[in-house]
């Protein structure tokens, strides 16, 4: 966040040996100064873990997908650090956890891959903060969970590595061109 605080949404824990999920939002102020985590009164609209989050250009936080004990979630939320409120926003077209997210140069958010709880996904979904809605784009060439993603200086998006449905690491990389909505292969890692 703007004040060097760290934001965390949802999570998974075990109670009496059984897994359970959280709907809480926690903030740790000034992590570098060894601040203490504080649970906020605002809650997500669902219990979730393995969600992705990204800070939008307006300073709000977009919480994306995740999963609960039943599988991948489509739910998305906006956290406003000024008001401390959480509100629902447009749902993903495909529920996903452990997806890779990046801010595009036009202020939209790209969500690539992830898992539907059973398989790696190749989906590409784009969030428009102006409308609060998601749209689909061309699938990646390789389904991947937890890949690294970055916006390049020319505005293209690179996705590198991650793992496949069996948990094996991937060495491939792909580049998404927002002007065409298409993916192309990039050089593999060694």
């Amino acid at each position: 966040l703007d004040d060097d605080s760290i934001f965390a949404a949802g999570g998974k824990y075990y109670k009496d040996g059984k897994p359970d999920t959280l709907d809480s939002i926690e903030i740790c102020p000034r992590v570098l100064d060894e601040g203490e985590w504080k649970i906020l009164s605002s809650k997500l609209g669902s219990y979730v873990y393995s969600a992705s989050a990204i800070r939008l250009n307006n300073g709000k936080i977009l919480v994306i997908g995740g999963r609960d004990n039943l599988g991948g979630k489509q739910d998305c939320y906006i956290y406003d650090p000024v008001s401390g409120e959480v509100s629902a926003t447009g749902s993903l077209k495909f529920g996903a956890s452990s997806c890779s997210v990046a801010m595009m140069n036009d202020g939209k958010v790209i969500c690539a891959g992830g898992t539907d709880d059973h398989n790696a996904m190749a989906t590409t979904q784009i969030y428009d903060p102006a409308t609060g809605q998601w749209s689909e784009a061309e699938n990646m060439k390789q389904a991947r969970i937890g890949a690294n993603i970055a916006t390049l200086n020319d505005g293209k998006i690179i996705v590198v590595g991650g793992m496949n449905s069996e948990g094996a690491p991937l060495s491939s990389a792909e580049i998404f061109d927002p002007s065409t909505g298409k993916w192309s292969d990039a050089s593999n890692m060694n």
Side-chain angles (χ1 to χ4, degrees), residues 96-100 112-116 119-123 140 143-146:
S97 63
S98 302
C99 53
S100 302
T115 178
D116 63 5
N119 298 299
M121 299 169 61
T123 57
M140 292 184 291
R144 48 183 89 231
I145 303 167

Side-chain angles (χ1 to χ4, degrees), residues 1 7-9 25-27 40-44 54-56 58-63 76-89:
L1 301 176
F7 169 90
I25 295 174
E26 297 189 43
I27 300 286
L40 304 181
S41 59
S42 295
K43 303 279 186 194
L44 298 174
I54 190 165
R55 184 180 179 273
L56 301 173
N58 63 8
K60 296 177 181 178
I61 307 295
L62 174 62
V63 179
C76 295
Y77 301 95
I78 298 285
Y79 168 70
D80 184 340
V82 175
S83 70
E85 297 298 316
V86 175
S87 58
T89 190

Side-chain angles (χ1 to χ4, degrees), residues 6 12 22 29 39 46 65 79 100 108 129 152 156 185:
I6 298 294
K12 182 177 182 178
L22 301 170
I39 297 176
S46 62
Y79 168 70
S100 302
K108 294 178 181 176
L152 303 173
K156 294 178 181 175
D185 290 323

Side-chain angles (χ1 to χ4, degrees), residues 31-58:
V31 172
L32 299 176
D33 296 335
E34 298 182 25
E36 293 188 27
W37 286 93
K38 174 185 171 188
I39 297 176
L40 304 181
S41 59
S42 295
K43 303 279 186 194
L44 298 174
S46 62
Y47 293 83
V48 66
Y49 65 97
S50 295
S52 298
I54 190 165
R55 184 180 179 273
L56 301 173
N57 288 338
N58 63 8

Side-chain angles (χ1 to χ4, degrees), residues 129-145:
T131 64
Q133 298 300 310
W134 290 90
S135 60
E136 297 176 50
E138 180 180 72
N139 283 353
M140 292 184 291
K141 296 176 181 296
Q142 172 74 54
R144 48 183 89 231
I145 303 167

Side-chain angles (χ1 to χ4, degrees), residues 99-127:
C99 53
S100 302
V101 298
M103 180 70 62
M104 300 191 327
N105 285 351
D106 63 2
K108 294 178 181 176
V109 174
I110 186 169
C111 174
T115 178
D116 63 5
D117 192 38
H118 302 288
N119 298 299
M121 299 169 61
T123 57
T124 303
Q125 304 177 71
I126 297 176
Y127 179 78

